[in-house]
Amino acid sequence: MTMSDATSRPGTLWRRIHDTLSHEIDDGRYPAGAKLPTEAALAERFSVNRHTVRRALEALREAGRIHVRRGAGAFVTQGRFDYAIGPRTRFSANLAELGAAPNRRIIRLETLPADQQEAERLGLAKAAPVIVAENIAEADGVPVIYSRNTYPADRLPGLYGALREVNGITKALAKIGVTDYQRLWTRIVAERPGAMIARHLKMPENHPVLRTESLNADPHGRAVEYAKAWFCSDRIALVVDKSSFG
């Protein structure tokens, strides 16, 4: 343990490193995509041990300020992504256009009876079977969206298996023959995330999220997806595509 570690109050050292690096990112010393110094270099700079540096870096990662590439180091993430909302909103395409690496993880996949709202939105009979997929979407390894996507099971036979086999909703729908779909409408509200969503998005519970509710339909006008999504507002800005206005 260094002299600085021993004489400072517990919990203040890693926070000082976190705040200093955060300010330096904001000021452009470490721009988006820049690699941060190694743990050893930061430990020497701040006269602390590497464990203290590691805790500060982990807090920056949880806040979405940096992402870590195994074997390569810590890199500054892009600030707030502009996420286009339009008739053909696609997560992977949105992020790829911004130069970010997209990834989507399904954390829950079940076939359940539709609740009243799901049945109404999808045009189904009460308690008709629906496929529910809960997802975490990441940009450069940082969680940015938590979503609950609901699909009419009888209308989309084979989708459950496709969602398990391929990475991506658009690819899964294409696999069962739905090669195109459009967003009919989107509703956006701001709210607190709640403990579960904050945990999945690795964000503080007192920071707001942007919650969207949307409905997608195939070219024949049949509803194929009803979704609710929670966007971390520190990392994503929603931009309404002008083509949405027809």
Side-chain angles (χ1 to χ4, degrees):
M1 180 177 292
T2 68
M3 181 65 69
S4 182
D5 283 328
T7 58
S8 294
R9 289 179 298 169
T12 60
L13 284 173
W14 73 267
R15 174 59 64 182
R16 176 169 61 88
I17 298 167
H18 167 279
D19 291 348
T20 299
L21 293 175
S22 186
H23 288 315
E24 290 177 348
I25 291 171
D26 290 338
D27 290 342
R29 177 172 177 178
Y30 299 112
K35 182 179 178 180
L36 291 184
T38 64
E39 288 182 3
L42 290 171
E44 182 176 357
R45 174 187 172 187
F46 291 101
S47 299
V48 297
N49 61 38
R50 292 177 65 171
H51 175 76
T52 302
V53 169
R54 199 170 296 126
R55 186 175 179 189
L57 293 177
E58 178 61 18
L60 287 170
R61 188 193 67 78
E62 289 181 353
R65 305 305 309 271
I66 65 172
H67 60 280
V68 178
R69 298 176 190 166
R70 188 179 298 275
F75 296 81
V76 178
T77 58
Q78 183 164 333
R80 186 179 278 114
F81 291 100
D82 283 346
Y83 188 90
I85 298 256
R88 285 182 171 82
T89 296
R90 304 290 187 266
F91 171 75
S92 295
N94 258 334
L95 272 292
E97 287 181 4
L98 296 170
N103 182 54
R104 185 186 293 271
R105 295 182 289 110
I106 293 180
I107 59 175
R108 178 191 177 201
L109 184 63
E110 289 189 68
T111 300
L112 301 167
D115 63 27
Q116 182 176 348
Q117 186 178 59
E118 291 167 342
E120 290 176 356
R121 295 288 192 258
L122 293 169
L124 302 174
K126 182 179 179 181
V130 291
I131 300 165
V132 176
E134 294 182 8
N135 311 269
I136 303 295
E138 299 172 335
D140 287 334
V142 177
V144 290
I145 309 169
Y146 167 82
S147 65
R148 176 188 168 100
N149 303 60
T150 307
Y151 308 91
D154 292 341
R155 196 176 295 161
L156 301 171
L159 181 61
Y160 184 94
L163 287 168
R164 291 179 62 90
E165 293 169 9
V166 301
N167 185 5
I169 292 170
T170 300
K171 291 180 180 178
L173 287 168
K175 188 176 177 67
I176 64 165
V178 183
T179 56
D180 189 25
Y181 59 95
Q182 291 192 43
R183 184 164 296 206
L184 300 183
W185 52 264
T186 301
R187 182 171 180 264
I188 305 171
V189 297
E191 64 182 26
R192 301 290 186 187
M196 182 191 73
I197 293 171
R199 183 175 68 253
H200 283 308
L201 292 178
K202 298 182 178 179
M203 62 176 290
E205 287 185 47
N206 61 350
H207 284 207
V209 291
L210 296 173
R211 178 174 63 81
T212 65
E213 181 186 3
S214 60
L215 185 68
N216 290 318
D218 66 16
H220 303 290
R222 296 176 301 181
V224 295
E225 180 187 56
Y226 170 60
K228 290 182 178 179
W230 290 259
F231 293 74
C232 179
S233 60
D234 290 342
R235 303 166 197 163
I236 290 247
L238 299 182
V239 179
V240 179
D241 190 322
K242 66 180 181 180
S243 61
S244 299
F245 297 104

